[in-house]
Amino acid sequence: VQLQASGGGLVQPGGSLRLSCTASGVNLDYYVIAWFRQAPGKEREGVSCFSSTDDSTYVADSVKGRFTISRDNAKNTVYLQMNSLKPEDTAVYYCATDTRRPGYGCYVQLEEFNYWGQGTQVTVSS
């Protein structure tokens, strides 16, 4: 199983980025996929998740109304569209999936996820 995250970069406040997470070796139709982020000196936190099994989603309060998670089934890829970015969104963003149980419902508890992507840096700065 491999998760390849991409799409990060440097953007000005108020700008947008779209992160991608492409999976190989696992069919995301059956499992939860989530985005996490870790800012310098802070713990990794859950940002958003998606379950194709029941179409459930979750978005953290800190990004609600600005970030949207979506899925391209044909590409086995999950996206995180990030709009109205703020300096406090600066972090390394990781995608992860939990292949140990069927993906009914959506969750972002770190310890539940057994496969992680390599992370992509998002920097919001003027």
Side-chain angles (χ1 to χ4, degrees), residues 26-39:
V26 61
N27 188 338
L28 295 179
D29 285 349
Y30 305 115
Y31 305 107
V32 171
I33 184 86
W35 286 98
F36 296 83
R37 68 184 182 185
Q38 188 166 19

Side-chain angles (χ1 to χ4, degrees), residues 2-123:
Q2 286 191 328
L3 300 176
Q4 182 69 41
S6 62
L10 173 63
V11 63
Q12 292 187 343
S16 298
L17 285 173
R18 189 179 77 160
L19 305 183
S20 301
C21 178
T22 299
S24 58
V26 61
N27 188 338
L28 295 179
D29 285 349
Y30 305 115
Y31 305 107
V32 171
I33 184 86
W35 286 98
F36 296 83
R37 68 184 182 185
Q38 188 166 19
K42 294 188 177 181
E43 294 185 351
R44 194 170 297 188
E45 63 174 353
V47 175
S48 186
C49 63
F50 181 90
S51 171
S52 293
T53 305
D54 58 7
D55 287 336
S56 60
T57 61
Y58 163 83
V59 179
D61 287 343
S62 58
V63 302
K64 195 166 291 182
R66 301 187 296 120
F67 290 12
T68 304
I69 192 168
S70 63
R71 166 94 195 274
D72 184 329
N73 293 351
K75 295 182 178 180
N76 210 26
T77 296
V78 173
Y79 302 99
L80 186 68
Q81 178 66 43
M82 306 186 297
N83 298 328
S84 302
L85 282 161
K86 304 176 181 180
E88 52 263 44
D89 295 318
T90 295
V92 179
Y93 284 71
Y94 300 89
C95 57
T97 190
D98 174 14
T99 63
R100 291 175 291 194
R101 56 176 167 170
Y104 291 101
C106 193
Y107 44 89
V108 290
Q109 284 75 35
L110 274 73
E111 64 274 14
E112 300 294 339
F113 290 83
N114 57 333
Y115 287 103
W116 292 79
Q118 83 284 9
T120 185
Q121 175 71 46
V122 172
T123 303

